[in-house]
Amino acid sequence: MKFPKNLSAKLEARKQNNALRQLPSTSSAIDFASNDYLGFAKSKTIFNQTHQFLLDNDFCENGATGSRLLSGNHPLYELAENYLAQFHQAEAALILNSGYDANVGFFSSVPQKGDFILYDELCHASIRDGIQLSNAKAYKYQHNNYEDLERLITKVQPTTDNQQLTTIYIVTESVFSMDGDSPDFETMIAIAEKHQALIVVDEAHALGVFGENGCGLLQQLQVQNKIFARIMTFGKGLGCHGAAILGSNELKNYLVNFARSFIYTTGLAPHNIATIYCAYHELSNEKAAQHALRENINFFNQQKQLLGLKPLFVRSKSAIQSAIIPGNEKVKTIASQLQQNGFDVKAILSPTVPEGQERLRICIHSYNSEAEISRVLELLATFVF
């Protein structure tokens, strides 16, 4: 069948820019690429607990059978959502099928015509896609730049006449997926309170990594009650699938009625929800993996300092460590050299990141050894300098 010429041209342009994406094969190399920060995705303990939980509670269905508003709202949803709300010290939790669905559902439905969305320029694609579907006006502010944020707030600040009808949403991530850095929430909250704005935070890369029991960065900072909505994604530190939006009971009720990515999709199967539930219990009961991850992050930062690599890296105390190596061809070459030496390190190319900001995105895990961390950084120093 004939393929449209304009689509072929776009593919060819990607090839010419050395930026064509391809699905990778399974790698047996040492993992410095996945988001499985605690090793939960490979945990036999969680796998066996989930299986036993389903048997003990007589759940034998393979699928949800429909959307949650039709036939798919099986009893495990209420059990898991109540547990999540308690764990994260929120009034309510609503589980959606993925972090992408959660962000698209929230931003396409909650901000209204006449509202304003002010989002960090490095926010994830799922946030941007949701914003594009919104009727609110949106402006991006410079990354973690609070003077620029306040400048935008002042620009869009409504007059006294319509102030009560307009809401300003400030949108950010607690750990940015490509840089691994975090906002100054004390400053952001002060700005939001000054201008009566609402803060929305994606905690995808903080769950399992920060806070007591891996509860996230906002709870670690004890500012969760000052945040309008939190998006927790389970495909990273929790090692499974799905996401939850945390907020008030009123917000949950609103999303159930108006978030299209929630309303018009088949719910997650009982096995998915049971895995989420058991993985959260593992966060509460098993501290060794969280401790090992934090120790490895500290060791990685010490080693990159000793090897003179610190100037290459974006400052980060998270599990995401990004070495900026401009140019798609150059960063792909160095990634290939590391892979040939047995280390699974991925290159992040433009246009995924802005041109000139191409990088190696190195993910630290609880199961990486100090010897592995030292070796991958030694090789990086050899290939870069």
Side-chain angles (χ1 to χ4, degrees):
M1 186 175 291
K2 183 179 178 182
F3 194 69
K5 288 184 178 179
N6 56 347
L7 302 186
S8 294
K10 292 183 74 172
L11 281 173
E12 184 59 33
R14 280 281 169 92
K15 290 178 184 177
Q16 294 301 318
N17 292 328
N18 205 12
L20 185 68
R21 296 184 177 101
Q22 292 179 304
L23 292 173
S25 56
T26 303
S27 174
S28 60
I30 296 166
D31 183 9
F32 281 101
S34 81
N35 295 323
D36 186 24
Y37 305 126
L38 299 173
F40 278 18
K42 305 176 185 70
S43 170
K44 291 183 180 179
T45 299
I46 294 173
F47 184 90
N48 291 331
Q49 287 175 347
T50 300
H51 180 67
Q52 193 60 48
F53 177 84
L54 290 166
L55 291 177
D56 291 345
N57 290 276
D58 197 27
F59 279 100
C60 298
E61 297 94 349
N62 292 319
T65 76
S67 75
R68 289 187 63 184
L69 288 169
L70 294 177
S71 59
N73 195 43
H74 49 79
L76 283 181
Y77 267 114
E78 182 178 2
L79 177 70
E81 287 175 342
N82 287 341
Y83 187 83
L84 265 62
Q86 181 182 12
F87 183 94
H88 287 296
Q89 299 174 6
E91 196 172 287
L94 181 68
I95 292 176
L96 291 94
N97 287 16
S98 69
Y100 190 95
D101 282 344
N103 277 325
V104 167
F106 180 93
F107 290 104
S108 65
S109 66
V110 174
Q112 300 294 295
K113 186 175 182 179
D115 292 343
F116 294 94
I117 306 169
L118 308 180
Y119 64 98
D120 190 293
E121 65 181 344
L122 296 188
C123 277
H124 191 264
S126 58
I127 294 174
R128 290 167 174 262
D129 287 356
I131 289 171
Q132 284 188 335
L133 295 171
S134 172
N135 289 319
K137 290 184 178 179
Y139 301 92
K140 62 184 177 184
Y141 62 89
Q142 295 170 15
H143 179 52
N144 286 342
N145 186 324
Y146 306 105
E147 290 182 3
D148 194 42
L149 172 61
E150 193 149 27
R151 177 189 65 81
L152 284 175
I153 293 176
T154 302
K155 176 182 175 181
V156 305
Q157 192 85 52
T159 63
T160 306
D161 293 338
N162 63 0
Q163 189 167 4
Q164 292 185 346
L165 300 176
T166 298
T167 302
I168 297 173
Y169 294 90
I170 299 171
V171 184
T172 190
E173 302 178 19
S174 59
V175 175
F176 283 88
S177 60
M178 286 296 130
D179 282 20
D181 58 348
S182 298
D184 176 355
F185 280 108
E186 183 179 353
T187 300
M188 180 178 287
I189 289 167
I191 292 172
E193 290 178 342
K194 175 182 175 182
H195 297 282
Q196 297 182 313
L198 301 178
I199 300 176
V200 182
V201 183
D202 186 325
E203 287 235 76
H205 293 277
L207 178 61
V209 179
F210 291 95
E212 185 179 358
N213 298 329
C215 58
L217 184 59
L218 294 171
Q219 282 174 261
Q220 176 177 300
L221 299 174
Q222 298 184 340
V223 296
Q224 67 275 8
N225 293 332
K226 298 181 182 293
I227 307 301
F228 177 69
R230 290 175 277 163
I231 293 89
M232 314 300 290
T233 301
F234 309 139
K236 281 75 176 176
L238 212 65
C240 48
H241 193 71
I245 298 174
L246 308 174
S248 65
N249 285 315
E250 196 169 12
L251 175 61
K252 179 176 180 176
N253 186 42
Y254 181 88
L255 291 166
V256 168
N257 279 275
F258 294 101
R260 293 169 70 85
S261 63
F262 172 85
I263 297 167
Y264 297 108
T265 189
T266 300
L268 291 171
H271 189 277
N272 289 101
I273 304 299
T275 304
I276 294 166
Y277 183 72
C278 291
Y280 262 96
H281 278 275
E282 188 71 1
L283 273 184
S284 297
N285 298 327
E286 178 51 62
K287 306 293 194 300
Q290 295 166 53
H291 177 75
L293 173 61
R294 289 163 188 162
E295 289 292 306
N296 280 345
I297 293 169
N298 291 335
F299 183 76
F300 187 96
N301 280 320
Q302 291 167 5
Q303 290 302 110
K304 74 186 184 189
Q305 171 87 7
L306 289 172
L307 291 167
L309 289 167
K310 188 176 180 181
L312 285 181
F313 281 84
V314 178
R315 186 176 183 275
S316 169
K317 295 182 179 179
S318 75
I320 300 168
Q321 303 284 331
S322 288
I324 306 299
I325 301 173
N328 280 347
E329 186 172 352
K330 183 175 182 180
V331 74
K332 282 179 72 173
T333 298
I334 293 175
S336 178
Q337 290 173 314
L338 291 170
Q339 291 160 14
Q340 290 168 17
N341 280 271
F343 293 94
D344 189 13
V345 175
K346 295 294 194 293
I348 308 298
L349 312 176
S350 58
T352 300
V353 293
E355 190 172 346
Q357 290 293 305
E358 296 84 3
R359 75 227 12 232
L360 295 175
R361 181 178 183 267
I362 300 176
C363 293
I364 313 300
H365 310 92
S366 60
Y367 48 84
N368 292 133
S369 69
E370 289 189 353
E372 291 168 351
I373 292 170
S374 294
R375 183 57 181 156
V376 75
L377 287 174
E378 289 166 0
L379 286 168
L380 177 59
T382 301
F383 299 145
V384 169
F385 298 137

